[in-house]
Structure formats: C-alpha cells, structure tokens
Amino acid sequence: MSEPINVQWFPGHMAKTRRLITESLPLIDGVVEILDARIPIASQNPELSKIINNKPRIILLNKADIADEKMNKLWIDYFKSQGIITLPVDCKTGKGLNGFTAQISNQLADRLEVFKKKGMTGRTLRLMVVGIPNVGKSSFINRMAKGGKAKVADRPGVTRGNQWFTIGKGIELMDTAGVLWPKFDDPIVGENLAFTGAVKDIVVDIQLLAPRLLEIINRDYPEMLKERYKIETGDFTGLELLSAIGKKRGMLISGGEIDYERAAMTVLDEFRGGKIGKITLESPPCK
Ligand code: G4P
C-alpha cells in the first residue's frame, strides 16, 4: 500500500457554525447527527458532544444503502455500546426513516415528562440536524418535512427566524442544519472525506486520489473491482489498476495513451454513486 495522499484543506467557518449551534441550543431538545455510513469516523466531529453540551442526540448512519451491510451492523453496535441510538438510513429514498419519530419520542420521554410536570402540556420536542457537507442533511430534512408539511411560523420564544417542520406527533425539526466540519490531523480522515466527495475535487489531485481508492478497494473488496471493471486484481499498484480500467473502458487520448484524468473521475464518480458496490472505508475501533 502507498502512503495516504495529503489533502490540503482548510475547514473555515468552524467558529461560525459553532456559534450558530450554540445560539440554537436553548431552542432545541435534541440533536440529529448525520454521519456517512461509509466513513463514520471521518464524518464525525469529535467535538460535537462538547458543542451541544450533552443534549440528547441520535445518530443517523446515512447512505447505508451504498455502505457494506455487515459494517453497518458493526457500527450500530459500536455506537450503541457508547449509549447512542443509531439508525441505518437512506435519506434519498427514505428507507429506515419510518422508525425515526418513535425513537425520538422514546429517547426524549424524560424530557416530555418534565414538560408535563411543569404544566407545559402540548410542548413539542424540537430537534436540530447537524452534519458535514454532502452527508445528506437537506435530503433528510426534505424527507421528514414531507410527512408533516405544516411549516410552523415564528412564534414567541422561537426567535431568529428559525422555521420548524412538524415531522411527527409532537416533534418538530429546525429547517436549517448545522454544517459541521470534522477536524482532522489524520491524513486518512482527509483522504476518506475526499473519496466520498465531502472535500471538493478542486482541492485534491484526482489522479492521485483515484489510485489510492483503487488500492483500498483492491485490498478490501477485490471481487467488486473484478465484477465492475472486468480487470485482474491482486498484486497491482493503484495506478496499474487505474490504467487497466482506462484501457477496458477505451478511455484514450491521442497517441493511444490512457486518459488518466477521465478514468480517475469515472472511478470516483462510480464509487460515490455506489456503483462499484456497497463499500465501507472505516471499521469501528476495537474494544
Ligand atoms: P447536505 O445537505 O448534507 O449537503 O447533503 P444533501 O442532502 O444535499 O445530499 C448530498 C448528496 O447525497 C445528494 O446527491 C443526495 O441525493 C445524496 N444522498 C443523500 N442521502 C443519501 C442516501 O441515503 N443514499 C444515497 N445513495 N445518496 C444520498 P447529489 O449527487 O448531490 O444529488 P442527486 O443524486 O440527488 O441528484
């Protein structure tokens, strides 16, 4: 295996997001943290618990449809062992979201009890969505909003122009999501964010990125490469694999050379769209 490539990337806006979330905290009862099932470590902000000040949270392992099912199960067990309820979901089709409101009511039952004791009957539970760019925050909000439809207008006590969607009996979702950037010092984290497209391709050299991804798939899911591209797998470098794919797909430039840029973009696009197969790039930490 080669060394991870260096993703030059500046997380900007972190302070702004933190402020936005902190300001919204008094308005919310819980947080929906959306992670990418293919990279649950890289897509998680390790400071989230600190930022949300231990508000209850639920994890949605999104894009579960294009992640390795076996690994989804391991990740769910892992988060459960940390005491965090986690649901595998596909916010593109809505699969897995049926149980969401029931889970929330369950998890925040104590809070409802407190409201009742204070005589605040009818007080709804309010949730905020957070996650890194491209993880599926808008897809989730749009899906859930469809059910409840009614957009609740601003009202006393709910300031700053936040709009809320009723998404289930007594549950509302803030219509804007907190865009969180994970902090990373670890080059593997940067690379995984680039593979999935969370870090824009303009800041990465895709002709380095695609061969690295191919090396990893060749190591962990070789049969998928064989099946998708009809190439030999085994003891090859990432560049050799990319070259074989370019050749098979007839991606050539004048003089019969492989068009590496096109082949690299094809591999990345097909990985991101789940076309190579259901692939997870990160395993839960060992106990
Ligand atoms: P964001 O608000 O967090 O930035 O993410 P957004 O919902 O815009 O989703 C980013 C991309 O991920 C979209 O694809 C969306 O369709 C896709 N996506 C979201 N959730 C899922 C999921 O559970 N499974 C799969 N397979 N894809 C998901 P896009 O290419 O930008 O648009 P399009 O393909 O919908 O046209």
Side-chain angles (χ1 to χ4, degrees), residues 227-242:
E227 175 70 25
R228 177 82 193 163
Y229 299 109
K230 316 288 180 227
I231 56 166
E232 284 303 307
T233 55
D235 196 13
F236 295 109
T237 64
L239 201 58
E240 286 166 341
L241 294 164
L242 186 64

Side-chain angles (χ1 to χ4, degrees), residues 34 38 61-66 89-95 131-142 177 179 272-274:
I34 305 192
R38 298 164 302 167
L61 219 45
N62 193 35
K63 309 200 182 184
D65 56 310
I66 50 173
V89 295
D90 166 2
C91 289
K92 207 162 165 171
T93 63
K95 193 165 172 229
I132 65 167
N134 224 26
V135 74
K137 297 179 297 302
S138 334
S139 304
F140 170 70
I141 293 173
N142 291 338
V179 181
R272 290 169 188 165

Side-chain angles (χ1 to χ4, degrees), residues 174-196:
M174 197 191 279
D175 75 340
T176 46
V179 181
L180 270 184
W181 276 112
K183 269 176 57 161
F184 66 81
D185 305 321
D186 182 351
I188 300 273
V189 168
E191 203 177 54
N192 284 346
L193 290 167
F195 290 149
T196 54

